[in-house]
Amino acid sequence: MQDPNEDTEWNDALRRHGILPEKPKEAEVTEDDIVNLVEKTIHDRFKDTKPIEDMSLEELEEMEDEADERAMLEYRKQRLAELNAYQKASVFGDVREITAQDYVTEVNKAGEGVWVVLHLYKTGVPLCTLINQFISQLARKFPATKFIKSISTLCIQNYPDKNLPTIFVYYNGDLKKQWIGPFSFGGMNLKIDVLEWMLSEAGAVVTDLEEDPRKKHKIHDVMTSAIRQRPMDSDDDDDDD
């Protein structure tokens, strides 16, 4: 199993989200350590070759390509080992339906270090239906996070429909984040990657998304709107002629 104290980007991400404890100070790896390790790897790989100053440009390029390929293979092997260890620690993977009677067990007693995502919904509300579809997919993608859902009034008596959909995010039984009402989700324009990013910012999941997908969607919407307006602009030009 991957050492949780090892200095890796994956472990750092897990620590930021509270999934792994902070590593001991003595386990930190400095930039000098990394440089020395890279230099040692290159030296060991090419110690039997002729001196660099005697190599041709083609030989130097070949040596650089081989070193890059070897580094990528080692990194891929390490990442696979880390992901396998993470998956072994995953115990959920689906969305569980609960009622008020289940709340204490499923949320407050979910377990130490467990993130819980609770969706309050009602049938017949389109955005609730959409989010239920999304969290079903996200539950499979992030099986270390506990995804649950409940009909709003079965979980909280007289919960107002205007607050639907609602998502609560808990960690160690404490409320960490909440989104209440359709406007907090952007309405029916909500995309699954946007919801994933929102949950990641709250700490509930460790996403592989590199930036807020809403930026990408906004650019796409602007471009689509501009394309749709072009025929109208063309007709206006003809009228002017």
Side-chain angles (χ1 to χ4, degrees):
M1 181 176 290
Q2 183 70 26
D3 183 1
N5 291 322
E6 189 174 354
D7 186 33
T8 65
E9 293 181 357
W10 181 252
N11 281 350
D12 289 342
L14 295 180
R15 290 187 193 99
R16 286 197 300 271
H17 294 285
I19 296 174
L20 286 178
E22 291 295 327
K23 65 185 177 186
K25 293 296 183 181
E26 61 271 18
E28 293 183 357
V29 179
T30 65
E31 292 185 6
D32 290 338
D33 293 332
I34 297 174
V35 171
N36 292 336
L37 178 61
V38 172
E39 290 180 348
K40 182 178 184 303
T41 301
I42 295 175
H43 176 268
D44 292 343
R45 172 65 179 85
F46 299 103
K47 62 183 178 181
D48 296 328
T49 60
K50 61 184 178 182
I52 292 179
E53 57 270 19
D54 296 335
M55 291 184 178
S56 66
L57 180 60
E58 291 77 11
E59 289 173 326
L60 288 172
E61 290 178 348
E62 181 180 356
M63 182 179 72
E64 182 179 356
D65 291 341
E66 290 184 13
D68 289 342
E69 182 179 357
R70 184 180 181 87
M72 287 301 298
L73 289 174
E74 289 296 326
Y75 178 74
R76 183 174 182 273
K77 180 180 179 181
Q78 177 182 338
R79 287 283 290 160
L80 287 173
E82 292 169 351
L83 289 172
N84 287 335
Y86 178 71
Q87 292 296 331
K88 290 180 180 178
S90 304
V91 295
F92 304 111
D94 58 1
V95 182
R96 305 179 184 182
E97 185 90 26
I98 71 166
T99 63
Q101 289 74 22
D102 307 314
Y103 180 87
V104 173
T105 300
E106 298 293 339
V107 176
N108 299 107
K109 297 182 179 180
E112 184 178 356
V114 175
W115 286 91
V116 179
V117 177
L118 169 60
H119 176 216
L120 298 184
Y121 74 99
K122 265 193 175 179
T123 56
V125 179
L127 186 53
C128 289
T129 302
L130 182 66
I131 289 178
N132 274 336
Q133 294 174 358
F134 287 167
I135 64 174
S136 292
Q137 298 176 56
L138 293 175
R140 292 191 293 270
K141 183 175 181 180
F142 303 104
T145 300
K146 187 175 188 178
F147 286 85
I148 55 179
K149 64 181 179 179
S150 176
I151 295 176
S152 57
T153 50
L154 292 181
C155 190
I156 303 176
Q157 188 175 11
N158 299 322
Y159 194 75
D161 289 351
K162 67 179 181 179
N163 289 348
L164 300 178
T166 293
I167 286 183
F168 295 125
V169 175
Y170 302 87
Y171 182 69
N172 288 341
D174 296 326
L175 180 64
K176 296 298 183 181
K177 183 70 177 181
Q178 60 184 13
W179 294 277
I180 299 176
F183 292 108
S184 62
F185 297 97
M188 290 299 293
N189 291 323
L190 178 68
K191 303 292 190 298
I192 189 170
D193 56 353
V194 173
L195 182 57
E196 177 179 334
W197 183 264
M198 293 165 63
L199 293 175
S200 174
E201 287 189 315
V205 301
V206 181
T207 183
D208 54 2
L209 298 173
E210 296 181 353
E211 64 176 2
D212 191 338
R214 283 171 288 200
K215 299 177 182 178
K216 176 185 66 177
H217 295 314
K218 185 176 181 180
I219 294 173
H220 178 268
D221 292 342
V222 170
M223 293 178 62
T224 301
S225 177
I227 292 173
R228 289 175 178 174
Q229 291 178 5
R230 284 179 183 175
M232 296 178 60
D233 295 339
S234 177
D235 292 342
D236 291 342
D237 291 342
D238 293 340
D239 293 341
D240 293 339
D241 292 341

